[in-house]
Amino acid sequence: MNSYLRTITKEDPYKLCFVCLGNICRSPTAEGLFIHKVKEAGLESFFYIDSAGTAAYHVGEGANSKSQATANQHGVHLPSRARKFEYPDLEEFDLILAMDFQNFTDLLEMDKKEKFRGKISMMRNFDPIEKGNVPDPYYGGLQGFENVFQILDRSTEALLNELKPHIKE
Ligand code: 4NP
């Protein structure tokens, strides 16, 4: 069994943190999608869902307007406020999902004592179509944001499906 998996109960909700660079485009989209799917499934009391950035450039900001517009078109709300991922988050969360390999490397570097390796994963390890990076859409056009949404839609769906059997009602 993967080391990040455990029995999930209402008393001990499963804690996920989605991580990218700025915490305004990719990780807020993943967070909003996962919240949306969990609510649709009526499972909100079993999860604690958050996102953060490896950089502090945008701390306090809401999700990027193009990320929000794209998500809203699909009926998904992005509630995040940008914050920086800090060392205690490594302890706090059950699963930490890096959007790209640079984010992944930055998280592993923070984990100098290698205590938390088993809970740090690339988001697209859950993508049923293609592994690798969730491409940074920040400097591109709307099509890039839609592409990110589609990648994260199927990746978060597969992630939730992997966690569901561990829920004990
Ligand atoms: P994110 O996108 O990591 O998906 O939130 C970015 C947001 C801001 C910057 C880069 C990427 N930036 O350089 O400010």
Side-chain angles (χ1 to χ4, degrees):
M1 191 162 97
N2 286 320
S3 60
Y4 58 84
L5 291 172
R6 64 168 175 83
T7 299
I8 305 172
T9 63
K10 283 187 182 165
E11 291 69 35
D12 191 12
Y14 195 79
K15 296 182 158 189
L16 296 123
C17 191
F18 298 95
V19 176
C20 62
L21 177 64
N23 193 211
I24 53 169
C25 300
R26 292 165 294 174
S27 59
T29 301
E31 176 191 11
L33 269 161
F34 200 83
I35 292 170
H36 184 82
K37 289 173 192 298
V38 159
K39 278 191 184 156
E40 261 185 353
L43 297 171
E44 50 277 52
S45 38
F46 292 95
F47 291 96
Y48 176 79
I49 304 156
D50 195 8
S51 66
T54 55
Y57 320 130
H58 296 279
V59 166
E61 292 178 26
N64 174 280
S65 57
K66 288 182 193 160
S67 297
Q68 291 201 41
T70 304
N72 292 348
Q73 269 181 357
H74 293 281
V76 173
H77 171 62
L78 306 184
S80 91
R81 282 277 141 215
R83 73 173 182 91
K84 189 169 183 299
F85 189 91
E86 305 283 5
Y87 185 81
D89 293 316
L90 289 170
E91 181 99 54
E92 173 77 3
F93 288 90
D94 290 296
L95 182 56
I96 299 159
L97 294 142
M99 296 298 127
D100 66 30
F101 195 68
Q102 184 62 56
N103 311 144
F104 182 69
T105 308
D106 289 343
L107 289 167
L108 292 186
E109 266 173 29
M110 232 186 227
D111 179 24
K112 289 205 190 319
K113 293 183 187 158
E114 301 191 12
K115 281 170 68 184
F116 306 111
R117 299 256 146 152
K119 55 163 97 171
I120 303 170
S121 169
M122 289 282 283
M123 176 81 258
R124 288 189 84 177
N125 282 354
F126 295 91
D127 185 343
I129 295 184
E130 195 184 325
K131 313 301 171 203
N133 293 333
V134 181
D136 184 350
Y138 188 60
Y139 294 105
L142 263 181
Q143 188 53 45
F145 287 83
E146 177 63 25
N147 183 42
V148 163
F149 186 92
Q150 294 300 331
I151 290 168
L152 291 173
D153 189 22
R154 56 184 194 252
S155 301
T156 54
E157 182 81 16
L159 170 58
L160 181 56
N161 283 337
E162 181 171 327
L163 296 175
K164 266 182 189 166
H166 300 275
I167 293 174
K168 296 283 170 289
E169 297 272 359

